[in-house]
Amino acid sequence: DQRADPEYMPTRREAIERIVHLLDQHNAARALVGFDFAIGFPTTIEGKPVLPAGRELCELMDTLVTDDPSGNNNRFHAAAELNDQIRRQTGGTHGPFWGRPRSLDIPGLTERRPHDARVAKLRAAERLIRAHTRAKPKSPWQLSGAGSVGGQSLVGLKAVHQLLQTIGSRGHLWPFDPEPAQSNAITIAEIYPSMYPEKSPPHWYKDARQVVDTRDALLDHPDQPELLRAPEIAQTEGWILGVIP
């Protein structure tokens, strides 16, 4: 079947609206929606969670994060508040989120990575990618800088919550929700495009190339059920679709 060209959406709100429109157009079809940010966070060094998981995490971000139609948001202040919550749990001097811009003076949020947060830098899925591919995923705690994903995760998890609320019973947040029984379920999952080699026809933007490569790699996978395997730690930290444990 024909595969569409990538589309550019300038804001998160427009992207979610476009996704909902496409899902409504194909309301009888099984669908996968992939987001390129962390849907979960690392644990303490001892393996204890410091933030909720799954839908509870998305709901927490919906409560803490503000994100207006133009994309202006409070992600750095939300991270500082989360740092305070996590620090009280771990007894660390700092919370694990870091990477505030120099222009912002936010108590509880450092410009550089703290070394006494008592929380792991990476999740198991990210460590696996680093060990077996050339890709180097950054820590979900890093809010800014080249390749950072933490800031996108905070605002993105809020968007995931809103999408789940919109699609209702069709929604399946992988790998946290039970396997859906309905034939038109919509699976929402985390993806990491940098783990796939660039094979698509040239596009002007690298993001467009990566979207096409990720889509094609997942659709062309010879053993689709294998994609949905995830280890036990995924129920706490989340997992990246396509990373085989």
Side-chain angles (χ1 to χ4, degrees), residues 56 71 89 133 168 223 225 237:
E56 189 179 350
Q89 294 180 57
T133 75
D223 185 14
E237 293 187 338

Side-chain angles (χ1 to χ4, degrees), residues 138-139 142-152:
K138 296 293 184 72
S139 169
Q142 183 179 347
L143 298 170
S144 60
S148 63
V149 70
Q152 295 95 310

Side-chain angles (χ1 to χ4, degrees), residues 172-232:
H172 167 232
L173 184 59
W174 182 86
F176 307 100
D177 292 349
E179 188 66 23
Q182 57 200 96
S183 60
N184 69 337
I186 300 164
T187 295
I188 297 172
E190 178 183 346
I191 58 173
Y192 184 54
S194 294
M195 62 188 276
Y196 299 105
E198 293 188 14
K199 296 181 178 179
S200 66
H203 290 280
W204 183 259
Y205 295 106
K206 181 178 180 180
D207 286 349
R209 297 195 300 272
Q210 287 189 320
V211 165
V212 172
D213 289 327
T214 304
R215 177 199 65 191
D216 291 348
L218 294 174
L219 287 177
D220 295 340
H221 196 282
D223 185 14
Q224 293 292 338
E226 186 80 359
L227 287 175
L228 296 176
R229 281 184 56 206
E232 185 177 349

Side-chain angles (χ1 to χ4, degrees), residues 110-131:
T110 58
E111 184 180 340
R112 298 180 181 275
R113 180 187 168 213
H115 295 285
D116 52 359
R118 301 185 181 180
V119 176
K121 175 184 174 182
L122 299 171
R123 299 176 297 166
E126 290 143 1
R127 293 195 297 270
L128 196 59
I129 289 175
R130 284 188 169 216

